[in-house]
Amino acid sequence: MHKKILLFNIFVLLYNIAIAQETYEAGTLPKLNASASISELWEVNFKAESQLIFSRGEFGGGSGVRQFNHNRTELALGLERKTSYNTAITGGYLLRMDERKPSHRLFQQFSLVRQYGSFNLSHRFASDQTFSIGRGNEYRIRYRVSTSLPLNGEKIDLKETYLKFSHEYLGSLLKRNTALEIRNLAALGYVTGTKNKIEGGFSYRAEKVFQSITNSEFWIYLAFYFDLDK
Amino acid sequence: MASQRFFLKTLLFLLFLSFCALSAAGQVKYEKEIRIDMNQVPEKALNFIKNSGIDSKVKWHKELNIDNTSIEAKTTFQSTKYSIEFDTLGNLQDVEFIINFQDLPDKTQAKIEKQFDSLFSRYKIIKTQTQFSGPPQIIQQLLKDTKPSDDYITRYEIVMGGKEKKIMRKFEILTNESGEILQRNRIRPKNMDNLIY
């Protein structure tokens, strides 16, 4: 399964470089996520995520620009309802701020987490609708598979490190134009003594896959997950 | 420029919160399971494995809880996953191995199902383990698949999802050999936000 995903990503990257006109962006992706339970079934989740670009340009001779540039910041608030001990549905609102006017997004998702021996496997099915003045409304559907596995022992305990991988497909519709985006992440995580998690790693995103002009994004990923239920 | 200032403020806020998270580490008591080398395992525990006829690779773990510490040997022997628990001196506590619920004796299955039906409006069995405890020599005979010469205790540990009061919860159920529930512990789900969001 993992081999197939890796091979597919290499194929997408090679296709983009060889056939399509390829632009790129590289930067860092800091993210903060905090959750707090309201009751046994309900939980509030807050997310803040920014994109800081260090370099952007075109592969194959195009001139690249190395410049510190804040691309965007997103703030999201979601309400989660647990539908079982390992499944949940979430709905929420996201505010996106960039150099243009703010965008407003509604999102919905269903998640399922299963444990297979020492690793956890999560499936996330999501949809969102983004409304912004001057850019048109965008509708997306998403599927993400994520896994985490401990580097010591058979489960991820407090004060332990772990590996995390995720792979996601995003289909979007904007002004009657459809597009496919693929996101990958490989990260090293650490659980603090207070159940919070810190993750650092690399993310590769291929935008407008199989189109004439594609975009590759290379991110240094840094995330903090706060569990406010101690 | 305004958006860059906003970004820097956000970044500083993130760094501040992460510092708080790190500095607060260690304030809470915790459970931990770590892999250990064979040379850290008590001699008594090593001898038990050696004399049990287990010839497959054994992974040793140390489990640190609030109340006690234990040593655990994990192995797959004759296609069955075993977990053999010792105290820190190497004295045998119990042996657990994974089985299918359908492999339990029919009467035991029926009794467990009857109790589950009365406790939960819906349920799903996730994992079933047989648990043997008793004198080490007797447990070794059981592992060697020979008829034990003395008495031992058989229990079943079942991890299951059960719906009660319209909420599907996860439980660890311990039954005796005939299927009578001895213990029911709720397993609180771990925070998986890093996989979901």
Side-chain angles (χ1 to χ4, degrees), chain A residues 3-17:
Chain A
K3 273 185 187 171
K4 281 179 187 170
I5 289 171
L6 184 68
L7 285 172
F8 181 69
N9 278 288
I10 292 168
F11 169 72
V12 167
L13 183 63
L14 291 175
Y15 176 91
N16 286 350
I17 292 169

Side-chain angles (χ1 to χ4, degrees), chain A residues 19-154:
Chain A
I19 296 172
Q21 188 185 347
E22 173 80 351
T23 59
Y24 72 87
E25 288 172 332
T28 183
L29 206 63
K31 175 180 169 181
L32 179 147
N33 191 292
S35 64
S37 295
I38 303 168
S39 67
E40 191 184 337
L41 289 180
W42 295 90
E43 183 181 297
V44 176
N45 189 279
F46 169 76
K47 186 184 85 169
E49 187 178 280
S50 281
Q51 287 187 356
L52 176 66
I53 292 175
F54 299 144
S55 177
R56 58 171 27 133
E58 204 174 293
F59 283 127
S63 55
V65 179
R66 285 185 187 177
Q67 189 187 1
F68 173 93
N69 182 25
H70 167 235
N71 197 33
R72 65 175 179 234
T73 292
E74 293 175 344
L75 301 171
L77 193 65
L79 187 63
E80 177 189 290
R81 189 193 189 277
K82 287 178 176 53
T83 46
S84 175
Y85 53 87
N86 65 343
T87 58
I89 49 171
T90 306
Y93 166 77
L94 181 146
L95 174 68
R96 175 186 278 190
M97 289 159 289
D98 53 22
E99 75 279 5
R100 291 187 277 183
K101 285 188 177 172
S103 303
H104 306 276
R105 178 179 290 167
L106 298 174
F107 62 90
Q108 310 79 33
Q109 70 175 52
F110 169 77
S111 59
L112 163 73
V113 184
R114 278 192 170 166
Q115 196 174 354
Y116 296 95
S118 61
F119 70 93
N120 296 301
L121 190 73
S122 152
H123 300 276
R124 186 180 80 172
F125 304 88
S127 61
D128 59 54
Q129 306 82 40
T130 307
F131 308 99
S132 49
I133 296 166
R135 273 183 280 191
N137 300 334
E138 187 181 24
Y139 304 93
R140 301 191 304 177
I141 51 167
R142 312 167 63 159
Y143 167 71
R144 187 174 78 180
V145 59
S146 310
T147 183
S148 63
L149 59 155
L151 286 177
N152 196 325
E154 295 217 321

Side-chain angles (χ1 to χ4, degrees), chain A residues 31-33 35 40 43 45 50 52 68 70 73 80 84-85 90 97 109 111 120 122 124 144 146 152-154 156-160 162 164 193-194 196-199 224-227, chain B residues 3-4 6-8 10-11 13-14 17-18 21-22 24-26 28-35 61 63 74 124 126 161 167-170 186 189-197:
Chain A
K31 175 180 169 181
L32 179 147
N33 191 292
S35 64
E40 191 184 337
E43 183 181 297
N45 189 279
S50 281
L52 176 66
F68 173 93
H70 167 235
T73 292
E80 177 189 290
S84 175
Y85 53 87
T90 306
M97 289 159 289
Q109 70 175 52
S111 59
N120 296 301
S122 152
R124 186 180 80 172
R144 187 174 78 180
S146 310
N152 196 325
E154 295 217 321
I156 301 169
D157 294 311
L158 299 183
K159 294 184 176 182
E160 272 189 7
Y162 60 92
K164 175 178 150 180
T194 48
N196 300 319
K197 296 183 181 89
I198 300 163
E199 294 177 353
F224 305 96
Y225 287 89
F226 294 91
D227 181 358
Chain B
S3 73
Q4 289 200 5
F6 178 80
F7 169 79
L8 285 171
T10 309
L11 191 64
F13 177 65
L14 292 175
L17 283 183
S18 60
L22 283 172
V28 173
K29 286 181 180 176
Y30 59 93
E31 293 180 352
K32 196 167 179 166
E33 182 203 59
I34 50 167
R35 273 290 292 273
H61 299 259
E63 282 211 4
K74 292 188 180 195
K124 182 187 168 190
I126 300 166
I167 302 173
M168 193 74 172
R169 295 173 171 138
K170 200 173 181 181
R186 198 175 139 207
K190 280 190 170 183
N191 186 312
M192 291 289 174
D193 284 354
N194 66 320
L195 292 182
I196 297 169
Y197 294 103

